């Protein structure tokens, strides 16, 4: 069995694109092999900032042979009255590269067995340049020389080997060969790979650890060893640390970890500022003592060996100190002003030229936040905190610290608010109103912060919709989909049942033209996030569609609940029977919608009486308040009387009074069914 190697040599790829590009190369290679029916033992990925590579082990000598049976025209169409082959038969034979002599007849049709012989592996793998390398897609492209061809970074070399033999092709003017590049500073520029099996070891001898996982584990091990040696605590398992570890891994080929130090005086600056300076700006790992107190040290990784490491440490310390000097200056300078001073500047800060200022956005958010808080029955102190938070929650945008370190918006707002004597609940809300900052990020923990976060995002969506600045396709420059996802997730995790339609309708009417959005469109936009979140949780498409439809109820928590209830009960043995009975009621009831009361004196059979006895005492609002599962359980209990009812009762009878009464009875059930959604969208066949 043979080994195949493909290495795409590139100028340095941005760290955030290396892993995704490696994954794409693997996926495209896997699809390429499947399309050509070429069996391999394993597909091993490799990547560094300067290369993307894939190694195929135990490559089959040739692709699998394929035999396919193709059915042609019926015998009646294949032959004419004289028993001669018709044009239809001849055309079918030509299309399959055969002749009528190859036909078989069975089951009333002509058949051809098409056999495709396996193709030698090398003849297949020579196509990988055109079908894999050239077809890679990226979020960032570069164009070089006079080429129209775009790639993540310019291609500088291609190593393509089948065992020891070069597979001959080219991409643009880059010809395949066996010469790669070692480490930029620690090795000779050109390194020859004698055999595909020698790829990893040859590059290691050229100071390149080409396996990304091996490289990452080495970094983790080195960092941990330094921390242990100095009795420092180092956290590498948080999301932020994992992201930094991934980034650092993708900017080095031969990692060497080291420790640096900064002056203790900078520890007077808030930890968040120090950590941001180290992690976000310098790609340093911070360390603490075992009580979690930040220490004046950092860990980092160089792309090289131990040689001249002292100079590297000194250089990194010097760069970090420059950042910390700026942070110290801004921290002290910011405290010489007041929140009122900053709010005067906020009044001039533009939110969007078509919408107005940030200050006006804050005022509208305050109106919405109060409406939401009142619907949630907040007490007087909570309402006061919501009001104060809404008045000042963007003030830190005008501080020097946030101007220099924009990642700290909200974080510095909380810190400064406490220094300026604000209520701790208000200060916390200032930090939390940005949450969640991503589709899967943490939501605000405090109720004040969560209300402010929802209100802030709702105002943004409404006003951008009013300004006709809605997302289109994948384009969402103002992050409105992320905002809607944050609203839904916050309401869900807080279990806050809020009817959004009346709240948003009243808000839009009170704010004039700037909020004059189509509230139906706004609600549909938010409900689309409900669909996506539940689909991402693995709920069937038809159940999601059923649960979100008929959304007269705009309480997103209840909508998510009923989707999950339908998903849970879809596994019940009687689910199909229940849905069939309920959809039969639905289909009839919508033909004559009515709120008329049911008159038992007009019943003509026991089935009508039985169904009435099962439904007359039902309290719709009470059932909905109890939750979607209570609604479903109640409706499932009606399956038997509904079936008996339709067996014994003709709804469209000639007696108008009886007919109308029967429709009134079906509408009682229809109104309850509507609280579960549009059940006709559920696939039960």
């Amino acid at each position: 069995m043979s080994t195949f190697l493909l290495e795409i040599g590139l100028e340095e790829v941005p760290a955030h694109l290396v892993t995704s590009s490696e994954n794409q190369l693997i996926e495209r290679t896997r699809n390429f092999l499947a399309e050509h029916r070429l069996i391999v033992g394993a597909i091993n990925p490799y990547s560094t900032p300067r290369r993307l590579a894939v190694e195929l082990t135990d490559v089959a000598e040739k692709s699998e042979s394929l035999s396919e049976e193709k059915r042609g025209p019926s015998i009646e169409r294949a032959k004419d009255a004289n028993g001669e082959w018709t044009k239809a038969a001849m055309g079918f034979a030509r299309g399959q590269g055969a002749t009528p002599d190859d036909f078989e007849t069975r089951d009333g049709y002509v058949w051809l067995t098409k056999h495709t012989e396996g193709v030698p592996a090398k003849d297949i793998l020579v196509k990988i340049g055109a079908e894999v390398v050239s077809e890679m897609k990226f979020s960032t492209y570069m164009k070089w020389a006079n080429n129209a061809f775009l790639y993540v970074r310019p291609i500088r070399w291609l190593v393509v080997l089948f065992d020891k033999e070069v597979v001959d092709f080219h991409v643009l003017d880059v010809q395949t060969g066996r010469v790669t590049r070692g480490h930029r500073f620690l090795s000779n520029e050109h390194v020859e790979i004698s055999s595909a099996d020698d790829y990893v070891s040859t590059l290691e001898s050229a100071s390149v650890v080409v396996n990304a996982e091996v490289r990452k584990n080495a970094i983790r091990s080195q960092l941990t060893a330094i921390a242990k040696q100095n009795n420092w605590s180092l956290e590498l398992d948080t999301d932020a640390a994992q992201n930094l570890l991934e980034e650092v891994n993708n900017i080095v080929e031969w990692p060497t970890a080291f420790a640096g130090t900064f002056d203790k005086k900078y520890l007077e600056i808030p930890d968040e500022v120090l950590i941001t300076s180290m992690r976000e700006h310098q790609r340093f790992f911070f360390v603490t003592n075992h009580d979690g107190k930040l220490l004046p040290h950092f860990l980092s990784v160089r792309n090289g060996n131990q040689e001249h490491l002292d100079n590297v440490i000194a250089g990194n310390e010097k760069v970090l100190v420059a950042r910390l000097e700026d942070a110290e200056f801004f921290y002290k300078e910011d405290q010489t002003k007041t929140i009122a001073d900053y709010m005067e500047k906020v009044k001039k800060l533009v939110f969007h030229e078509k919408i107005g200022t940030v200050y006006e956005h804050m005022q509208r958010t305050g109106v919405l936040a109060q409406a939401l808080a009142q619907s949630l029955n907040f007490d007087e102190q909570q309402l006061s905190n919501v009001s104060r938070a809404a008045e000042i929650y963007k003030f830190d945008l005008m501080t020097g610290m946030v101007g220099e370190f924009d990642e700290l918006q909200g974080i510095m707002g909380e810190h400064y608010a406490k220094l300026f004597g604000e209520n701790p609940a208000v200060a916390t809300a200032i930090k939390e109103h940005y949450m969640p900052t991503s589709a899967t990020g943490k939501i605000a923990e405090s109720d004040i912060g969560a209300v402010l976060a929802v209100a802030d995002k709702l105002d943004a969506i409404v006003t951008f919709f009013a300004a006709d600045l809605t997302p289109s396709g994948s384009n969402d420059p103002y992050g409105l989909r992320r905002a809607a996802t944050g609203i839904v997730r916050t309401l869900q995790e807080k279990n806050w049942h809020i009817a959004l339609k009346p709240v948003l309708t009243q808000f839009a009417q009170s704010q004039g033209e700037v909020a004059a959005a189509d509230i139906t469109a706004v609600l549909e936009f938010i409900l689309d996030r409900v669909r996506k979140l539940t689909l991402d949780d693995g709920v069937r498409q038809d159940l999601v569609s059923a649960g979100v439809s008929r959304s007269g109820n705009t309480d997103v928590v209840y909508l998510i609940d009923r989707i999950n209830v339908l998903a849970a009960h879809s596994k019940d043995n009687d689910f199909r029977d229940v849905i069939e009975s309920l959809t039969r009621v639905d289909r009839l009831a919508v033909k004559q919608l009515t709120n008329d009361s049911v008159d038992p004196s007009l019943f003509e059979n026991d089935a009508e009486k039985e169904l009435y006895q099962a439904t007359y005492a039902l309290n719709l609002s009470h059932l909905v308040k109890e939750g979607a599962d209570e609604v479903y359980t109640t409706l499932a209990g009606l399956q038997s009387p509904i079936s008996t009812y339709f067996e014994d009762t003709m709804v469209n009878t000639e007696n108008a009074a009886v007919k109308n009464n029967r429709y009134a009875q079906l509408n009682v059930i229809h109104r309850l069914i509507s609280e579960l959604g549009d059940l006709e969208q559920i696939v039960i066949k």
Side-chain angles (χ1 to χ4, degrees):
M1 305 294 276
S2 297
T3 301
F4 172 79
L5 170 68
L6 165 68
E7 182 191 60
I8 309 168
L10 302 156
E11 291 187 5
E12 269 80 359
V13 177
H16 70 281
L17 296 177
V18 174
T19 301
S20 61
S21 298
E22 177 190 283
N23 293 338
Q24 182 189 169
L25 178 60
I26 291 301
E27 186 63 25
R28 286 186 179 276
T29 301
R30 185 177 291 113
N31 294 338
F32 170 82
L33 295 172
E35 182 179 346
H36 290 281
R37 306 187 310 281
L38 183 61
I39 303 299
V40 303
I43 304 175
N44 299 321
Y46 303 109
S47 64
T48 76
R50 301 178 69 201
R51 72 202 78 227
L52 299 170
V54 62
E55 176 190 64
L56 310 179
T57 64
D58 297 332
V59 181
E61 184 178 349
K62 61 181 182 179
S63 62
E64 291 183 310
S65 300
L66 180 66
S67 291
E68 296 178 283
E69 286 192 333
K70 300 287 186 178
R71 192 181 79 173
S74 64
I75 295 173
E76 289 80 1
R77 290 183 60 241
K79 287 188 175 183
D80 59 21
N82 298 321
E84 299 295 329
W85 295 113
T86 64
K87 290 183 179 180
M90 298 295 288
F92 170 63
R94 281 195 304 273
Q96 300 301 319
T99 69
D101 294 338
D102 301 315
F103 284 162
E104 298 177 47
T105 59
R106 64 176 185 271
D107 304 326
Y109 292 87
V110 296
W111 293 77
L112 276 173
T113 299
K114 185 177 180 180
H115 184 74
T116 304
E117 284 292 336
V119 178
K122 185 179 176 182
D123 293 345
I124 293 172
L125 293 170
V126 74
K127 301 176 183 179
I128 202 168
E131 298 183 19
V132 174
V133 178
S134 297
E135 292 299 313
M136 296 275 284
K137 306 297 181 186
F138 308 95
S139 60
T140 300
Y141 289 94
M142 281 190 70
K143 178 179 180 293
W144 66 100
N146 295 320
N147 304 308
F149 184 75
L150 297 173
Y151 221 64
V152 62
R153 285 296 183 269
I155 299 175
R156 294 308 188 202
W157 73 88
L158 289 167
V159 175
V160 188
L161 298 175
F162 190 55
D163 290 332
K164 297 183 178 182
E165 183 180 357
V166 174
V167 179
D168 184 29
F169 63 82
H170 59 84
V171 175
L172 292 181
D173 58 350
V174 183
Q175 181 65 40
T176 57
R178 63 173 70 251
V179 177
T180 184
R181 308 291 190 272
H183 191 281
R184 190 179 289 279
F185 308 115
L186 302 179
S187 170
N188 295 327
E189 182 178 358
H190 295 90
V191 177
E192 186 173 290
I193 308 292
S194 60
S195 171
D197 287 323
D198 298 333
Y199 178 62
V200 174
S201 59
T202 300
L203 275 173
E204 187 170 1
S205 67
S207 300
V208 175
V209 180
V210 75
N211 187 308
E213 283 304 310
V214 170
R215 200 165 62 246
K216 185 186 291 186
N217 288 336
I219 293 171
R220 177 185 282 272
S221 178
Q222 291 177 33
L223 292 172
T224 302
I226 294 174
K228 184 177 181 180
Q229 180 182 351
N230 289 279
N231 198 30
W232 298 336
S233 180
L234 171 67
E235 180 57 74
L236 291 178
D237 294 324
T238 64
D239 289 343
Q242 286 290 308
N243 291 338
L244 179 57
L245 184 60
E246 181 77 11
E247 183 179 9
V248 168
N249 189 48
N250 287 334
I251 60 175
V252 299
E253 292 191 319
W254 190 262
T256 297
F258 61 88
T261 299
F262 57 89
D263 197 303
K264 291 181 180 179
K265 71 175 184 177
Y266 297 116
L267 292 177
E268 296 178 6
I269 303 171
D271 286 0
E272 294 91 345
V273 178
L274 297 175
I275 291 170
T276 297
S277 297
M278 288 186 277
R279 183 169 61 205
E280 305 298 334
H281 296 276
Q282 304 303 136
R283 299 190 180 103
F284 295 165
F285 296 85
F286 69 90
V287 293
T288 67
N289 63 19
H290 294 293
D291 294 326
K293 182 176 176 57
L294 199 65
L295 295 174
H297 308 286
F298 64 87
L299 298 176
S300 188
V301 180
R302 75 173 296 193
N303 184 25
N305 56 20
Q306 295 281 341
E307 190 174 350
H308 305 303
L309 191 58
D310 288 344
N311 291 340
V312 174
I313 294 171
N316 279 273
E317 289 176 343
K318 185 176 181 179
V319 173
L320 178 60
V321 166
R323 301 292 299 182
L324 298 184
E325 280 290 317
D326 288 344
E328 183 182 42
F329 169 79
F330 289 124
Y331 185 57
K332 292 179 179 178
E333 183 68 17
D334 286 343
Q335 294 179 63
T336 64
K337 300 180 178 65
T338 66
I339 290 178
D341 293 332
Y342 292 121
M343 286 306 302
E344 285 301 312
K345 295 181 179 181
V346 170
K347 291 178 180 179
K348 301 175 184 178
L349 184 64
V350 175
F351 182 61
H352 189 280
E353 59 182 5
K354 290 187 176 182
I355 298 173
T357 65
V358 170
Y359 180 71
E360 291 166 337
H361 164 62
M362 293 172 64
Q363 289 182 308
R364 292 191 303 272
T365 295
V367 173
L368 262 175
Q370 282 294 315
L372 295 172
Q374 289 169 5
S375 70
L376 293 168
N377 297 317
F378 277 21
D379 61 32
E380 289 187 12
Q381 182 60 57
Q382 289 176 307
L383 291 172
S384 175
N385 289 340
V386 168
S387 178
R388 178 56 180 167
E391 288 175 359
I392 65 171
Y393 74 99
K394 295 285 190 182
F395 83 88
D396 65 325
L397 294 181
M398 305 312 298
T399 62
M401 186 73 81
V402 172
E404 181 70 11
F405 302 92
D406 59 1
E407 307 94 329
L408 294 175
Q409 55 188 307
I411 295 172
M412 291 311 300
E414 177 189 37
H415 194 84
Y416 286 147
K418 289 179 178 178
L419 287 177
F420 292 143
E422 293 291 337
N423 186 312
V426 171
T428 299
I430 293 172
K431 178 185 71 173
E432 291 183 333
H433 89 270
Y434 288 104
M435 301 171 73
T437 55
S438 65
T440 58
K442 290 176 60 177
I443 69 158
E445 291 184 10
S446 75
D447 287 350
I448 310 303
V451 160
L452 191 62
V454 171
D456 179 79
K457 294 170 178 60
L458 281 174
D459 176 73
I461 293 172
V462 170
T463 53
F464 275 102
F465 266 66
D468 197 25
L469 297 170
T470 57
S472 59
S474 61
N475 187 33
D476 186 15
Y478 305 109
L480 299 186
R481 292 193 183 99
R482 183 175 68 249
T485 298
I487 291 167
V488 172
R489 287 192 54 230
T490 301
L491 293 175
Q492 181 185 14
E493 293 186 34
K494 284 289 186 179
N495 196 32
W496 281 348
H497 291 271
I498 300 173
L500 290 178
K501 185 173 183 178
V503 171
L504 293 181
T505 300
Q506 183 177 358
F507 170 72
Q509 291 171 349
S510 69
Q511 297 303 309
E513 186 176 350
V514 70
D518 180 349
I519 296 303
T520 300
V522 170
L523 290 169
E524 182 58 30
F525 180 73
I526 295 172
L527 292 183
D528 191 56
R529 297 299 93 191
V530 172
R531 292 185 185 92
K532 185 179 187 307
L533 288 170
T534 48
L535 285 171
D536 288 347
D537 285 341
V539 181
R540 277 172 23 198
Q541 172 76 57
D542 60 318
L543 299 175
V544 172
S545 297
V548 173
S549 299
R550 291 187 184 172
S551 300
N553 187 331
T554 53
D555 172 358
V556 298
V557 176
Y558 181 77
L559 296 181
I560 293 171
D561 182 35
R562 73 186 192 181
I563 291 170
N564 291 331
V565 164
L566 289 173
H569 285 287
S570 66
K571 300 176 179 61
D572 296 348
N573 293 331
D574 64 346
F575 183 71
R576 175 174 178 169
D577 293 337
V578 169
I579 299 302
E580 283 182 340
S581 294
L582 298 179
T583 53
R584 189 173 182 184
V585 171
D586 248 3
R587 284 192 295 270
L588 270 172
V590 295
K591 293 180 179 180
Q592 185 174 315
L593 294 174
T594 177
N595 288 317
D596 290 347
S597 300
V598 181
D599 184 356
S601 67
L602 294 174
F603 292 160
E604 294 184 340
N605 60 55
D606 291 339
E608 289 182 276
K609 296 176 183 177
E610 182 183 352
L611 186 58
Y612 177 73
Q613 290 171 352
T615 59
Y616 83 95
L618 294 180
N619 185 315
L620 180 60
S621 60
H622 173 75
L623 288 172
V624 172
K625 187 175 180 180
E626 289 296 311
D629 192 62
E630 186 69 22
V631 175
Y632 180 87
T633 302
T634 300
L635 286 169
L638 299 178
Q639 188 267 323
S640 179
I642 288 173
S643 296
T644 304
Y645 177 88
F646 283 121
E647 287 175 6
D648 298 348
T649 309
M650 175 69 70
V651 176
N652 291 308
T653 182
E654 293 182 0
N655 187 317
V658 172
K659 173 184 172 181
N660 292 339
N661 195 55
R662 288 173 178 171
Y663 271 106
Q665 188 165 17
L666 293 180
N667 269 274
V668 171
I669 305 171
H670 166 71
R671 286 191 289 273
L672 187 56
I673 293 171
S674 294
E675 293 301 329
L676 278 181
D678 184 1
L679 303 189
E680 289 196 60
Q681 296 197 41
I682 298 177
V683 178
I684 56 175
K685 301 297 182 184

